[in-house]
Amino acid sequence: MALLVDGSERELVNTFRAAPATLQMGVGQWAQTIEERLLGLAEGQGLDFELPAGQAYGVRDPQLVRTIPRDQLQAQCEPGQVPAVGETVEFRGAGGEPLRGVLARCDGQLAVVDFNHPLAGLPMRIRVQVIGVL
């Protein structure tokens, strides 16, 4: 899987040179738009396709970037631990469901957490080779 940045490819994940990846369809491992392209591929078939920005993991939503008090961030961490900028932090939603975000900024009083999918709004190129179907 590669991101397309300024007309060039930046490799994100490559399992062609390593152990193959296993994908279970329909459980949210990949975006639905990617899974739809893979449906019906038989063992031995390959596919190479591009998805424009926003089609794979949606468009970036500025409302999903939240500023919270730093103590609220610290309450989600092990005592004495504060995640570094760029790390994923997990909160609990009103119903107890996990909400993951990336720490974008943190100072003495406030933290900015981005709850957008890290690949939201980015064009992508996907190359797959089916080696088996269970």
Side-chain angles (χ1 to χ4, degrees):
M1 181 181 317
L3 300 177
L4 303 175
V5 180
D6 298 327
S8 62
E9 233 178 76
R10 187 172 67 198
E11 190 170 84
L12 188 62
V13 176
N14 184 331
T15 60
F16 286 96
R17 295 186 296 257
T22 301
L23 172 66
Q24 183 176 350
M25 302 291 276
V27 296
Q29 288 179 316
W30 277 7
Q32 183 177 350
T33 52
I34 296 173
E35 286 188 3
E36 288 170 357
R37 300 277 184 108
L38 303 179
L39 286 174
L41 289 180
E43 189 172 311
Q45 280 189 293
L47 186 63
D48 185 343
F49 61 96
E50 291 183 17
L51 290 172
Q55 274 195 12
Y57 291 93
V59 295
R60 291 194 55 76
D61 183 349
Q63 292 186 19
L64 293 178
V65 179
R66 302 288 177 94
T67 300
I68 61 172
R70 183 181 170 124
D71 60 347
Q72 186 178 348
L73 172 67
Q74 287 181 301
Q76 304 302 312
C77 303
E78 295 290 325
Q81 298 289 328
V82 177
V85 170
E87 288 185 343
T88 300
V89 288
E90 186 172 299
F91 296 84
R92 293 283 167 201
E97 72 279 2
L99 300 172
R100 290 176 190 85
V102 174
L103 183 60
R105 253 187 348 261
C106 190
D107 63 25
Q109 296 180 357
L110 298 174
V112 177
V113 181
D114 185 349
F115 290 98
N116 283 288
H117 189 284
L119 300 176
L122 298 173
M124 303 179 79
R125 172 171 291 150
I126 312 291
R127 283 189 204 98
V128 297
Q129 179 73 37
V130 178
I131 58 173
V133 178
L134 301 177

